[in-house]
């Protein structure tokens, strides 16, 4: 920005908004965060019921270095605000044939586990795959994930050549097959494509970086639940001078020509600003701005999910992992069911998270807590009446978990809450999906909705629907990229950025 940019209003206190606020405060800006809920977190929601403290949003946290960098941007030490513990194993993968394997971030332990599970040839293949994933991450982070783009021409650089040379623009599944022959093991390094909203046989290999994040860099969990992370980020931001307005819903942006001059809330409050960061859902963002994306093809939302929360009496003698992936026998059919045909899985594959393995205080004494996630079609693809069928479908998922993982889920089990695509839609999420836009080629990098706005020189976007994309680490990066747009790139952060200017009217 070439004009005054001292007072910044951030709309939304999700991970992107909190990251933007900390980076801006650390660069000397006066920051006000406006949040419609009474707490921070955004998609990282919370539900307190019957003595259970439930995370309703993401449960898998990766890339702690990005979290640490966000705190450090405002001169804060993350360890003073959040107790982040490694989860080991990162996952337990269980297959329809009765086999299972624990997934470790440590190379030696994982090599030993693969050797025992599938033999020495697959163990050697795992090491080659791990090396490729590490190279992929190092090659693409600064120039692809952690950088702002002028235009699609920004991709034409040395990093593009390097990514192409290592197979980054081939198919994800194809690149994993080069190293791993066992189809069960391949699932461990490709199931993450569901987060990107694309089947692994169609997803670009650049998104295998998500597999790097959890299977190599590791999975973590904050004491107190995932909610402890946005709480800690907000507390650090307050110490850095950021002001929070909770329970305040933004209704309009005041404009003077090409500039936003103030943010208005539904209760009539007017907050003056020199710049604004919008982390709202994309339809709401464009409505506030009075703009529509200039795209030849409509935006494609990612698949959605049904999430179920269950309280139960755990069997003390049964060892369990924090995260368990229950793979159905017809794994490939899962993507066809959800993405192509818009129906629920006929052979469910599920993520089952048991947070009380790591923090028993999240449930009443003597009780356990489960989070069960089942991928599901979004509302633009499927025509399921979730108000009629949601609870019954949750019952089938509970039966699957009982049969395949936890036989102790008997009469003492309590269904504490269910979220369906219809519920996500009621929270303003486009097409009823918490995973925002699918990471197709046409919605990747500079082709994803830009974080700058054509014709408005002091508004910046952040969050899952803009660059770099979906996931806790990437949305936190998007907050930093938004700050870079306002102040210019900070030499201590990753990547390069371009300051907003009338000469850069990106769509």
């Amino acid at each position: 920005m070439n004009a005054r940019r001292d007072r910044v209003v951030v709309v939304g206190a999700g991970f992107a908004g909190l990251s933007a606020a900390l980076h801006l405060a650390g660069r000397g800006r006066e920051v006000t965060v406006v949040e419609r809920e009474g707490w921070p977190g955004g998609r990282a929601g919370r539900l307190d019921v019957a003595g259970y403290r439930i995370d309703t949003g993401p449960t898998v946290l990766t890339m702690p270095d990005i979290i640490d960098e966000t705190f450090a941007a405002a001169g804060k030490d993350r360890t003073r605000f959040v107790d982040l513990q490694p989860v080991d194993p990162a996952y337990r993968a269980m297959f329809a044939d009765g086999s299972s394997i624990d997934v470790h971030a440590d190379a030696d332990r994982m090599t030993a586990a693969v050797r025992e599970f599938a033999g020495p040839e697959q163990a050697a293949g795992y090491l080659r795959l791990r090396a490729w994933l590490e190279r992929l991450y190092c090659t693409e982070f600064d120039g692809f994930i952690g950088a702002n783009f002028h235009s699609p021409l920004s991709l034409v650089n040395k990093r593009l050549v390097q990514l192409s040379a290592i197979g980054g623009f081939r198919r994800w599944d194809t690149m994993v097959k080069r190293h791993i022959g066992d189809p069960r093991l391949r699932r461990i390094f490709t199931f993450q494509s569901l987060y990107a909203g694309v089947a692994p046989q169609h997803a670009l290999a650049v998104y295998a970086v998500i597999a790097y994040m959890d299977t190599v860099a590791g999975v973590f969990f904050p004491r107190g639940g995932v909610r402890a992370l946005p709480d800690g980020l907000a507390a650090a931001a307050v110490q850095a001078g950021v002001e929070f307005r909770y329970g305040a819903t933004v209704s309009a942006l005041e404009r003077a020509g090409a500039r936003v001059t103030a943010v208005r809330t539904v209760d009539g409050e007017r907050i003056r600003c020199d710049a604004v960061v919008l982390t709202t859902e994309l339809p709401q963002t464009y409505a506030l701005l009075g703009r529509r994306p200039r795209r030849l093809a409509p935006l494609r939302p990612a698949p959605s999910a049904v999430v179920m929360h269950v309280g139960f009496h755990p069997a003390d003698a049964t060892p369990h992992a924090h995260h368990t992936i229950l793979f159905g026998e017809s794994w490939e059919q899962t993507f066809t069911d959800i993405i192509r045909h818009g129906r629920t899985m006929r052979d469910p594959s599920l993520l089952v998270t048991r947070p009380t393995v790591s923090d028993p205080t999240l449930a009443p004494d003597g009780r356990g807590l489960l989070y069960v996630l089942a991928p599901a079609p979004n509302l633009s693809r499927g025509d399921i009446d979730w108000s009629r069928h949601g609870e019954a479908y949750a019952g089938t998922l509970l039966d699957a978990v009982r049969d395949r993982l936890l036989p102790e889920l008997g009469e003492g089990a309590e269904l504490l809450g269910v979220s369906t695509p219809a519920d996500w839609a009621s929270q303003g999420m486009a097409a009823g999906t918490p995973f925002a836009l699918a990471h197709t080629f046409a919605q990747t990098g500079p082709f994803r909705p830009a974080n700058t706005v054509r014709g408005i020189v002091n508004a910046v976007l952040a969050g899952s629907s803009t660059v770099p994309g979906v996931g806790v680490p990437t949305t936190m990066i998007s907050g930093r990229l938004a700050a870079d747009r306002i102040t210019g790139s900070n030499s201590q952060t990753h990547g390069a950025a371009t300051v907003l200017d009338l000469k850069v009217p990106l769509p």
Side-chain angles (χ1 to χ4, degrees):
M1 293 180 189
N2 294 330
R4 181 182 176 90
R5 52 189 186 273
D6 296 329
R7 293 170 58 93
V8 184
V9 173
V10 177
V11 180
F15 286 120
L18 293 167
S19 173
L22 282 160
H23 281 280
L24 288 164
R27 302 176 197 182
R29 271 52 182 186
E30 182 181 335
V31 182
T32 301
V33 178
V34 183
E35 167 58 48
R36 67 181 179 181
E37 301 291 352
W39 53 82
R43 276 180 164 84
R46 59 189 70 187
L47 174 68
D48 294 332
V49 56
Y52 295 90
R53 291 189 293 157
I54 300 169
D55 291 318
T56 61
T59 61
V60 179
L61 291 181
T62 61
M63 304 305 294
D65 57 325
I66 293 173
I67 296 172
D68 290 351
E69 286 173 6
T70 304
F71 281 96
K76 305 301 178 184
D77 180 353
R78 187 266 306 163
T79 61
R80 297 184 59 189
F81 297 90
V82 183
D83 183 7
L84 201 60
Q85 298 294 323
V87 174
D88 188 35
Y91 302 101
R92 176 166 297 154
M94 301 181 67
F95 303 94
D97 64 2
S99 62
S100 65
I101 182 173
D102 284 352
V103 179
H104 303 282
D106 179 79
D108 291 339
R109 295 183 67 193
M110 187 60 186
T111 302
V114 172
R115 183 181 296 110
E116 181 178 354
F117 180 78
E121 183 177 342
Q122 297 302 302
Y126 158 72
L127 287 173
R128 292 193 301 270
L129 175 61
R130 182 186 178 97
W132 177 77
L133 289 171
E134 290 175 334
R135 187 178 176 192
L136 180 71
Y137 176 78
C138 293
T139 302
E140 74 176 89
F141 188 92
D142 283 346
F144 194 77
I145 298 174
N148 279 313
F149 295 99
H150 284 287
S151 73
L153 292 177
S154 301
L155 272 179
V156 184
N157 55 33
K158 180 177 68 174
R159 295 295 177 127
L160 178 69
V161 175
Q162 293 172 337
L163 274 175
S164 180
I166 64 173
F169 296 103
R170 302 197 68 182
R171 298 303 178 189
W172 185 337
D173 192 52
T174 298
M175 294 305 296
V176 173
K177 281 182 178 178
R178 286 187 170 189
H179 307 288
I180 299 288
D182 190 301
R184 298 167 301 171
L185 288 176
R186 288 203 303 268
R187 295 179 187 183
I188 293 171
F189 300 99
T190 59
F191 81 90
Q192 301 89 346
S193 70
L194 272 173
Y195 301 147
V198 185
Q201 60 266 33
H202 301 303
L204 291 175
V206 292
Y207 286 107
V209 72
I210 309 173
Y212 166 87
M213 290 178 178
D214 56 14
T215 66
V216 177
V219 174
F220 294 78
F221 187 73
R223 190 172 301 278
V226 172
R227 69 174 70 183
L229 179 53
D231 285 348
L233 289 164
V238 168
Q239 286 192 12
V242 175
E243 181 182 0
F244 284 82
R245 310 279 180 88
Y246 291 112
T249 299
V250 172
S251 58
L253 304 177
E254 286 189 12
R255 297 255 303 276
R259 304 191 67 81
V260 176
T261 57
V263 172
R264 286 194 175 274
T265 65
V266 292
D267 58 6
E269 185 179 11
R270 179 181 184 274
I271 308 171
R272 185 175 66 82
C273 64
D274 301 315
V276 61
V277 178
L278 299 170
T279 72
T280 43
E281 300 295 332
L282 206 56
Q284 183 186 356
T285 298
Y286 286 134
L288 287 170
L289 293 168
R291 290 287 188 275
R292 290 185 178 182
R294 302 173 71 180
R295 301 180 69 88
L296 296 176
L299 293 169
R300 175 180 157 185
S304 186
V306 172
V307 174
M308 178 175 61
H309 307 284
V310 181
F312 69 108
H313 286 297
D316 293 336
T318 306
H320 286 288
H322 186 113
H323 297 293
T324 301
I325 308 171
L326 299 177
F327 286 107
E329 185 173 2
S330 304
W331 170 241
E332 288 75 13
Q333 184 66 35
T334 293
F335 297 92
T336 303
D337 287 343
I338 294 169
I339 297 174
R340 182 179 301 175
H341 298 306
R343 61 192 179 202
T344 56
M345 296 174 289
R346 286 173 286 178
D347 180 19
S349 291
L350 308 172
L351 170 65
V352 181
T353 295
R354 187 171 170 179
T356 43
V357 167
S358 298
D359 188 351
T361 68
L362 298 176
D365 288 344
R367 302 287 287 178
L369 177 62
L370 289 183
Y371 168 111
V372 181
L373 184 148
N378 62 51
L379 298 182
S380 69
R381 177 61 65 179
D383 57 0
I384 301 167
D385 185 347
W386 289 105
S387 64
R388 293 182 56 191
H389 301 295
E391 192 166 331
Y393 183 59
T396 66
L397 299 179
L398 189 61
D399 290 341
V401 175
R402 180 186 297 113
D403 293 343
R404 295 158 60 184
L405 180 65
L406 289 169
E408 62 261 41
L409 285 181
E411 294 181 0
E414 306 172 84
L415 185 59
L416 303 170
V418 177
S419 295
T420 70
D423 296 310
W424 305 124
S426 70
Q427 298 176 38
M429 299 181 194
T433 173
F435 301 115
L437 299 178
H439 283 273
T440 60
F441 179 78
Q443 295 176 173
T444 293
F447 305 111
R448 201 166 179 81
N451 62 359
T452 52
V453 183
R454 176 179 49 89
I456 304 177
V457 298
N458 65 336
V460 193
L461 276 55
S464 299
S465 294
T466 186
V467 290
V470 178
V472 175
T474 42
T475 52
M476 295 185 77
I477 292 170
S478 80
R480 191 261 295 169
L481 293 178
D484 287 350
R485 288 291 194 188
I486 293 171
T487 70
S489 179
N490 187 328
S491 61
Q492 294 181 344
T493 61
H494 291 286
T498 301
V499 182
L500 280 181
D501 188 307
L502 279 168
K503 299 177 182 177
V504 190
L506 298 185

